[in-house]
């Protein structure tokens, strides 16, 4: 398929910070269901021009394609809900899940495309890619041609290929963030934080700056990454590789869950959370 059908109708589940940009980049009519969603989500969807159909049943009855963008731990349950609602179109799971989970979700639908998103919310061209695999991948890609979200079809890729790519990519980017924060917490617990920082300045240029950025950027999102780390660990285990790296990373992000959606942060507060200190309150933080 070289272009999207004129009457293409796509449903987005759910228009969070990333999902809303996926919806905005999609051609044709883009639907969403506001039932049970927050005021912040409603405003995002309205600003992006998404059409509110009220509830999931109305969406699946109208859309010929549904794209799921949600935290990893909710991907299977969301797919079950869509399947139970009788959706008969093409279901695209664009979540950070293992190939095994992608196959489980794919088994629920006659038409299924395995997808994965790499990059920040797609607000500008050249920043974010939607990788797609499966027999209907070209049709999904057509709906994003020329948009801020770059679709990339994995040639010859079967269901699970796009998910495998995401697992490999995030195992490094997010896994090393968890390791860096844990190292800083260890040094603080042993009373050698200043000495470690000084040694980093000599032999690991930029690492202290990366730690500061990580503490600010990761904290508000860490709650979404626990399930993703578990999916990555499952992927490593399925390949016969040690899975302990990302089991531990999942626990790191779970401990940082106290900063859910908080604005602002610091290395000191991040360390306190990891070490179980009482000084982890988000009181005074402006909530998103």
């Amino acid at each position: 398929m070289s272009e999207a059908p004129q009457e293409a109708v796509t449903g987005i589940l759910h228009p969070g910070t990333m999902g809303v940009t996926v919806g905005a980049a999609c051609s044709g009519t883009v639907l969403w269901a506001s039932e049970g969603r927050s005021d912040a989500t409603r405003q995002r969807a309205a600003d992006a021009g998404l059409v509110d159909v009220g509830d999931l049943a109305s969406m699946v009855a109208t859309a010929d394609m549904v794209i799921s963008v949600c935290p990893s731990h909710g991907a299977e349950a969301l797919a079950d809900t869509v399947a139970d609602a009788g959706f008969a179109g093409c279901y695209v799971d664009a979540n950070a899940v293992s190939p095994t989970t992608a196959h489980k979700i794919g088994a629920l639908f006659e038409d299924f495309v395995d997808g994965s998103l790499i990059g920040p919310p797609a607000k500008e061209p050249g920043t974010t890619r939607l990788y797609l695999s499966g027999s209907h991948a070209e049709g999904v890609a057509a709906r994003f041609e020329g948009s801020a979200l770059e679709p990339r079809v994995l040639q010859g890729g079967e269901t699970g290929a796009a998910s495998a790519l995401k697992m490999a990519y995030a195992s490094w980017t997010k896994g090393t963030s968890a390791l860096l924060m844990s190292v800083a917490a260890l040094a603080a617990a042993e009373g050698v934080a200043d000495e470690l920082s000084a040694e980093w300045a000599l032999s690991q240029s930029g690492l202290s700056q990366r730690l500061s950025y990580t503490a600010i950027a990761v904290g508000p999102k860490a709650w979404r990454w626990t399930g993703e780390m578990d999916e990555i660990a499952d992927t490593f285990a399925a390949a016969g590789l040690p899975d302990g790296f990302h089991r531990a990373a999942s626990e790191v992000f779970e401990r940082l869950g106290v900063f859910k959606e908080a604005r602002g942060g610091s290395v000191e507060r991040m360390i306190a959370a990891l070490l179980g200190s009482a000084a982890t309150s988000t009181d005074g933080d402006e909530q998103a």
Side-chain angles (χ1 to χ4, degrees):
M1 182 181 295
S2 60
E3 61 182 10
Q6 291 184 348
E7 299 300 322
V9 180
T10 306
I12 294 291
L13 297 169
H14 294 286
T17 303
M18 175 65 86
V20 75
T21 65
V22 174
C26 188
S27 62
T29 300
V30 182
L31 313 177
W32 83 290
S34 62
E35 183 178 52
R37 311 309 296 177
S38 69
D39 290 340
T41 302
R42 292 169 187 265
Q43 188 62 55
R44 276 194 301 267
D47 291 345
L50 308 189
V51 178
D52 182 11
V53 292
D55 55 30
L56 180 65
S58 298
M59 176 189 290
V60 301
T62 307
D64 61 277
M65 180 182 294
V66 167
I67 302 175
S68 171
V69 184
C70 70
S72 304
H73 62 264
E76 282 193 74
L78 184 56
D80 284 334
T81 301
V82 174
D84 289 344
F87 181 60
C90 179
Y91 189 84
V92 183
D93 185 88
N95 301 304
V97 298
S98 68
T100 298
T101 298
H103 280 286
K104 289 179 182 178
I105 293 173
L108 299 172
F109 304 96
E110 183 174 348
D111 295 336
F112 174 75
V113 172
D114 175 31
S116 64
L117 290 155
I118 293 181
K123 298 178 180 179
E124 298 178 1
T127 62
T128 312
R129 292 151 299 285
L130 172 61
Y131 288 93
L132 301 162
S133 62
S135 58
H136 295 84
E138 293 285 355
V140 178
R143 300 198 184 192
F144 295 95
E145 289 178 359
S147 75
L149 179 60
E150 179 187 353
R152 292 194 175 188
V153 175
L154 298 176
Q155 297 301 322
E158 299 298 327
T159 294
S163 288
L165 176 61
K166 175 68 174 184
M167 295 291 92
Y169 183 87
S171 69
W172 171 258
T173 56
K174 294 171 183 174
T176 53
S177 292
L179 178 59
L180 179 60
M181 291 185 290
S182 298
V183 167
L186 172 63
E190 296 295 336
V192 293
D194 290 343
E195 290 79 4
L196 178 62
S197 181
E199 177 57 36
W200 278 349
L202 293 172
S203 61
Q204 299 291 331
S205 177
L207 208 51
S208 291
Q209 291 82 356
R210 180 182 174 184
L211 175 63
S212 296
Y213 171 79
T214 299
I216 294 170
V218 170
K221 301 181 285 188
W223 68 275
R224 296 203 304 260
W225 293 352
T226 57
E228 184 171 346
M229 294 301 103
D230 291 333
E231 293 287 330
I232 290 172
D234 290 345
T235 305
F236 271 71
L241 294 167
D243 61 355
F245 297 109
H246 298 94
R247 301 290 181 205
S250 179
E251 183 176 348
V252 168
F253 292 135
E254 183 177 3
R255 294 187 185 190
L256 295 178
V258 293
F259 301 120
K260 180 178 179 179
E261 307 301 348
R263 292 182 179 176
S266 67
V267 173
E268 292 74 21
R269 294 180 68 227
M270 176 269 295
I271 287 173
L274 290 180
L275 295 177
S277 166
T280 59
S281 173
T282 58
D283 290 348
D285 284 339
E286 180 182 357
Q287 296 298 306

